[in-house]
Amino acid sequence: VGGYLLFSKYFYRKSLNLSSLKTTILESHLLIDIYRQHSLISQLIDELKPEGTQKYHCTGLSGSLRGVLSAILFGQVKKNQLVILDDKEQASYFYDDLCTLGLDTQALFFPSSYKRSVLYDKADPDNLIFRTDVLNRLAHGEGPFVIVTYPEALIEKVISSKALESNTLQIHKDERLSQEFVAEVLHSYGFERVDFVYEPGQYSIRGSLIDIFSFSNEDPYRIDFFGEEVESIRCFDIETQLSKKEFGRISIIPNIQGGFEKEKKVSLLEFIKTPTLILVHDLKFVIDKIDALFEQTLQKWLLKENNDNSFSVREQLIKGQQLLNDFARFKTIGIGSRSLFEEKKIFGFSSAPQPVFNKNFSLLGQNLCDNKEKGYRNVILFPNEKQIDRLKAIFKDNGQKADFEPMLNVLHEGFVDHDLKICCYTDHQIFERYHRFRMQENKPNRQAMSIKELNMLHPGDYVVHIDHGIGKFSGLVRMEVNGKMQEVIKLEFRDRDVIFVSIHSLHRISKYKGKDGTEPSISKLGSGAWQKLKNRTKAKVKDIARELILLYAKRKEEQGYTFSPDSYLQEELEASFIYEDTPDQMKATQAVKEDMQKAMPMDRLVCGDVGFGKTEVAIRAAFKAVSDSKQVAVLVPTTILALQHYKTFSERLSDFPVKVEYISRLRKSSDVTRIKKEIKEGKIDILIGTHRIVNKDLHFKDLGLLIVDEEQKFGVS
């Protein structure tokens, strides 16, 4: 009991008034402004302004300082920039840094056609869109741009700019153009005609409308004709079919990676027009990796084809030496430790990576004070203002006066610059949190299930119409509606009654989902049976609702425990989460904590797919309860899940004085007896277990929170 009292005292903290800790937050463009004045960068810019193919090398660049250099050079030297990193992860973080530094509209990511690094597997449609978009923008001179890439993307040859131009259909608003001509061109490009488009390489024609999903845009285009004149061009959302943006001119580009075998393919460097500035991290590594990938792919292709016809694959890939020869045409800057060229000039920067603090905030505070004494400027980058308050609260509780300037910016890696005497630290490295990079806004999981389901339906499949009941899908038919030919959905009901549904009423139809192996009873139109079934269902729903209302009325009358506001330890626990919170996760956590701080007992449901962070929300709620000396029960349906949650909770709370235990039928009887004794005495703070938790022989000393996982698996009672 004495130990438990000490434990309670350890957790007791007066709520911090963080409003007094507010300070001025630095503007995100400050880093760019500071580094523009760097003497070495100014000298490098002067060297780069004249035309030529000179080679330079910048040594001593640590962390995200490489991204800062790239952003400044792009702003000062008005030409395209190609940045080559060692692998996809490095390239993704570099691209993310450029977006953070204000180049989100000028930075382009050029990936491999394939999701994995193994070439000649199935191509990724999203990556094809990224590649096509980059080539299209470069070909039409919309730049300048910063293109970020890596060896797996560079090894694949691309269509030449001349061939791209001859295989691009340009459509302008108000131009005279026939639908038949557009359809003919799309067919020659290998586009597939479908009823509704939902992925690149498809088109559909409905009346005066042509929908085209080009490989150069993340959304499909809708072209509206008035006779033989293009009246309007817009892109639209696949799921809602609603327009998003209007265009005056668009480019329709086919799959430039999969087709055009007869066209000559070139390397990306050959496609890019000079003058272009190239920044490469480690050219020797890039060349060696491309050669290794070339041999690996060639061997795989020969085994797959089981013959010696390797000519086609050789024509699609480049070798390291060819890439090295292409570099000769460009002005190049090495930004790593090694170089292959004889440089005209070497620029030696003096910087170091961000120190590792292992979440030792006393050590961090001392480091910041030491930096200040040496005349260094401390800048810490945060993803949001809440994190600034968290760190300041930790310093205040530790009794340290750490001097730093916060900035709302998220670069990948911090650095210490000894030239300008700046220590630029990142919040996620301080808290050892995983930093996610943002990719271009292409939707990997398109939510076009209604259109996809419609395309996947076969005549004879059962569907449900909300107004008419269960019928059979009989395909799409063309019929005249208000003087225009349109495609409609044909549904067949009992006695061969038929109704036609407009594509604009898709939301009223859904695929029938019933018991496996049993056929449903088809509804009869005009009989009223479907309406009676809906009315009976509504009545049952009302009965359930009435019971719920009574339950909630009783809950309203109950007086629950009002939990205290967040302590500094709660802030520290949440800050130590290794991943960045998603907006939904933050919202759920805040809502749960607000419920716990009310007098009425909490009853909340947290829904989310596997891996979306529900367990982290539960851990934070459990910790809040334990902070107020209350016990927590976590009820799970299986013994495997009990053990899994025990490990997760124990790992997350290992830095805090919280005792976690689990109970299930697999535990020894001696362990169960001990757990029952300790839970009654209050020595266990969080107990995880199966239905064994609700047995009458198990008594909690002071239960404050119950968490039920996978509630649907326990049954209604």
Side-chain angles (χ1 to χ4, degrees):
V1 176
Y4 196 77
L5 289 171
L6 286 172
F7 171 71
S8 302
K9 185 180 178 183
Y10 178 77
F11 271 88
Y12 177 75
R13 287 288 185 280
K14 190 176 179 181
S15 181
L16 291 169
N17 180 14
L18 295 178
S19 59
S20 62
L21 300 173
K22 297 283 183 187
T23 55
T24 306
I25 298 171
L26 301 176
E27 295 290 333
S28 58
H29 58 75
L30 178 74
L31 281 177
I32 299 291
D33 295 341
I34 291 171
Y35 275 90
R36 277 202 194 102
Q37 315 305 320
H38 197 296
S39 59
L40 288 178
I41 293 179
S42 301
Q43 291 173 38
L44 180 58
I45 290 167
D46 290 338
E47 288 279 347
L48 295 174
K49 282 180 179 175
E51 297 300 323
T53 59
Q54 296 87 355
K55 314 299 177 193
Y56 302 94
H57 193 195
C58 294
T59 61
L61 295 170
S62 299
S64 291
L65 195 50
R66 299 182 185 98
V68 175
L69 174 67
S70 171
I72 292 170
L73 294 180
F74 179 76
Q76 299 297 311
V77 183
K78 305 292 183 183
K79 60 175 71 171
N80 283 330
Q81 190 181 117
L82 177 67
V83 184
I84 305 169
L85 283 306
D86 295 349
D87 55 46
K88 185 178 180 179
E89 186 175 320
Q90 279 191 29
S92 301
Y93 280 120
F94 196 97
Y95 167 79
D96 185 61
D97 281 350
L98 292 178
C99 292
T100 302
L101 292 165
L103 300 183
D104 45 335
T105 56
Q106 293 98 349
L108 303 175
F109 189 73
F110 190 76
S112 163
S113 300
Y114 308 92
K115 186 166 279 187
R116 294 177 295 168
S117 62
V118 181
L119 297 176
Y120 285 87
D121 283 343
K122 190 177 178 183
D124 185 303
D126 292 329
N127 286 357
L128 290 177
I129 291 176
F130 290 150
R131 286 176 71 90
T132 308
D133 183 43
V134 171
L135 297 178
N136 183 42
R137 293 196 191 196
L138 289 172
H140 291 93
E142 297 178 15
F145 297 108
V146 184
I147 303 107
V148 184
T149 189
Y150 52 97
E152 285 86 349
L154 281 177
I155 192 175
E156 296 178 58
K157 288 186 178 180
V158 299
I159 191 171
S160 67
S161 54
K162 185 179 178 182
L164 179 64
E165 190 176 344
S166 63
N167 288 287
T168 299
L169 174 61
Q170 300 280 351
I171 299 178
H172 302 260
K173 187 181 175 184
D174 299 328
E175 76 169 317
R176 292 192 65 78
L177 197 67
S178 71
Q179 284 188 329
E180 291 76 15
F181 173 76
V182 174
E184 193 177 322
V185 172
L186 292 173
H187 180 72
S188 70
Y189 283 175
F191 278 71
E192 178 192 6
R193 182 167 180 175
V194 293
D195 297 313
F196 303 98
V197 300
Y198 59 87
E199 65 181 16
Q202 297 176 335
Y203 75 99
S204 71
I205 302 176
R206 296 191 308 279
S208 64
L209 298 177
I210 297 185
D211 292 347
I212 309 171
F213 208 143
S214 171
F215 277 87
S216 60
N217 196 54
E218 64 179 6
D219 289 309
Y221 296 115
R222 177 161 290 163
I223 304 160
D224 196 353
F225 288 82
F226 183 74
E228 290 200 347
E229 185 178 297
V230 178
E231 190 172 39
S232 67
I233 306 170
R234 25 190 219 281
C235 66
F236 65 94
D237 184 273
I238 305 169
E239 185 179 12
T240 64
Q241 298 287 302
L242 296 176
S243 300
K244 294 172 73 175
K245 184 181 176 183
E246 288 203 19
F247 298 89
R249 175 183 67 85
I250 58 168
S251 300
I252 305 298
I253 302 177
N255 182 356
I256 59 174
Q257 200 66 32
F260 310 107
E261 286 82 1
K262 294 179 182 178
E263 299 284 0
K264 185 190 173 187
K265 298 286 183 77
V266 298
S267 71
L268 178 65
L269 271 69
E270 197 174 330
F271 183 94
I272 294 174
K273 296 171 184 174
T274 52
T276 295
L277 176 65
I278 295 180
L279 272 66
V280 58
H281 181 255
D282 189 335
L283 186 55
K284 177 75 168 68
F285 178 85
V286 170
I287 299 299
D288 290 345
K289 191 165 186 179
I290 283 176
D291 280 335
L293 284 167
F294 185 92
E295 292 301 323
Q296 175 191 340
T297 309
L298 193 61
Q299 291 301 318
K300 183 179 177 182
W301 187 257
L302 288 171
L303 286 170
K304 184 180 177 184
E305 294 295 310
N306 199 24
N307 58 38
D308 294 327
N309 184 18
S310 59
F311 179 75
S312 59
V313 70
R314 287 179 185 274
E315 287 296 297
Q316 302 295 320
L317 305 179
I318 65 168
K319 294 191 76 173
Q321 188 56 49
Q322 183 187 339
L323 188 70
L324 199 58
N325 294 339
D326 289 340
F327 271 98
R329 298 188 298 115
F330 296 93
K331 196 170 281 190
T332 308
I333 302 173
I335 54 173
S337 56
R338 294 191 298 175
S339 179
L340 274 180
F341 299 114
E342 187 178 332
E343 295 86 5
K344 180 185 175 185
K345 195 168 184 180
I346 296 175
F347 296 86
F349 290 80
S350 180
S351 68
Q354 176 176 329
V356 177
F357 299 107
N358 293 320
K359 290 192 279 190
N360 185 332
F361 297 103
S362 298
L363 185 63
L364 171 64
Q366 187 59 51
N367 178 266
L368 295 174
C369 292
D370 292 345
N371 292 340
K372 200 70 180 174
E373 286 179 14
K374 294 174 186 174
Y376 282 73
R377 184 177 185 179
N378 293 318
V379 177
I380 301 183
L381 310 180
F382 294 92
N384 52 58
E385 290 190 44
K386 189 178 179 183
Q387 282 297 103
I388 301 173
D389 292 342
R390 280 177 177 173
L391 189 58
K392 290 193 172 185
I394 289 168
F395 283 140
K396 185 174 181 180
D397 196 80
N398 287 347
Q400 290 180 294
K401 190 178 180 182
D403 194 350
F404 66 89
E405 298 172 86
M407 180 187 291
L408 289 179
N409 229 349
V410 190
L411 295 177
H412 179 48
E413 291 179 310
F415 53 86
V416 178
D417 191 321
H418 300 298
D419 294 328
L420 296 183
K421 291 199 168 185
I422 292 179
C423 297
C424 186
Y425 295 165
T426 66
D427 165 81
H428 57 266
Q429 283 177 285
I430 290 171
F431 287 98
E432 295 182 0
R433 185 186 295 109
Y434 177 74
H435 176 223
R436 293 182 304 159
F437 54 78
R438 298 165 297 168
M439 199 39 66
Q440 285 164 286
E441 285 292 321
N442 200 32
K443 307 165 197 65
N445 298 314
R446 302 185 183 279
Q447 297 176 348
M449 285 310 295
S450 56
I451 300 294
K452 272 192 177 179
E453 278 189 358
L454 186 61
N455 278 277
M456 289 164 67
L457 281 176
H458 302 288
D461 287 351
Y462 292 105
V463 293
V464 182
H465 191 291
I466 194 168
D467 299 321
H468 305 291
I470 300 169
K472 283 186 178 181
F473 175 72
S474 298
L476 293 156
V477 296
R478 292 173 64 80
M479 62 187 301
E480 193 173 313
V481 181
N482 297 328
K484 288 185 177 181
M485 291 300 293
Q486 287 190 10
E487 278 183 312
V488 293
I489 301 154
K490 183 181 178 183
L491 300 181
E492 193 174 312
F493 292 83
R494 193 187 296 179
D495 300 333
R496 296 195 175 181
D497 288 339
V498 171
I499 63 167
F500 298 98
V501 181
S502 166
I503 59 161
H504 301 295
S505 299
L506 275 178
H507 60 284
R508 306 194 74 77
I509 303 171
S510 60
K511 189 171 182 178
Y512 174 79
K513 296 182 180 74
K515 291 180 181 177
D516 293 335
T518 58
E519 289 194 2
S521 174
I522 295 178
S523 304
K524 180 175 174 60
L525 295 180
S527 67
W530 177 251
Q531 193 58 45
K532 286 175 186 174
L533 179 62
K534 287 205 296 183
N535 290 339
R536 284 202 304 272
T537 308
K538 284 179 182 176
K540 287 195 174 186
V541 170
K542 283 180 181 176
D543 290 341
I544 295 169
R546 196 175 294 112
E547 289 175 18
L548 284 172
I549 289 165
L550 289 172
L551 178 68
Y552 275 84
K554 189 178 178 183
R555 188 184 292 278
K556 280 268 187 184
E557 292 171 2
E558 291 287 336
Q559 188 69 24
Y561 179 79
T562 305
F563 287 93
S564 309
D566 287 357
S567 65
Y568 104 98
L569 283 169
Q570 183 79 27
E571 301 277 359
E572 192 173 323
L573 171 79
E574 293 179 19
S576 68
F577 188 44
I578 63 167
Y579 300 101
E580 195 178 323
D581 285 6
T582 64
D584 285 340
Q585 214 171 6
M586 282 195 285
K587 188 179 174 184
T589 302
Q590 193 57 36
V592 167
K593 291 195 293 188
E594 284 173 5
D595 278 357
M596 291 176 73
Q597 287 170 210
K598 291 175 183 173
M600 190 180 78
M602 173 174 68
D603 181 29
R604 179 168 287 276
L605 175 66
V606 179
C607 290
D609 220 328
V610 177
F612 275 49
K614 301 186 297 295
T615 309
E616 176 62 21
V617 176
I619 288 169
R620 293 176 186 184
F623 188 78
K624 187 174 182 68
V626 174
S627 298
D628 270 15
S629 304
K630 292 283 184 179
Q631 290 172 305
V632 179
V634 183
L635 183 61
V636 296
T638 65
T639 53
I640 293 171
L641 205 53
L643 182 60
Q644 185 182 319
H645 275 329
Y646 169 71
K647 288 179 179 177
T648 306
F649 272 70
S650 300
E651 220 171 88
R652 277 291 282 128
L653 301 172
S654 59
D655 293 336
F656 302 91
V658 179
K659 187 168 183 181
V660 184
E661 266 293 358
Y662 81 101
I663 190 169
S664 72
R665 60 184 174 80
L666 297 180
R667 302 240 26 198
K668 294 177 186 175
S669 56
S670 57
D671 288 338
V672 173
T673 305
R674 175 183 57 80
I675 289 167
K676 282 161 62 176
K677 183 174 179 288
E678 289 183 353
I679 203 75
K680 190 174 183 179
E681 293 172 352
K683 292 179 180 178
I684 294 173
D685 304 304
I686 300 173
L687 182 63
I688 301 161
T690 55
H691 60 278
R692 184 75 182 77
I693 279 185
V694 295
N695 278 19
K696 291 182 179 179
D697 64 339
L698 199 146
H699 303 282
F700 287 84
K701 183 183 180 183
D702 190 1
L703 185 63
L705 178 67
L706 170 64
I707 298 166
V708 185
D709 194 11
E710 303 284 1
E711 183 185 2
Q712 78 282 359
K713 292 185 180 177
F714 286 100
V716 178
S717 299

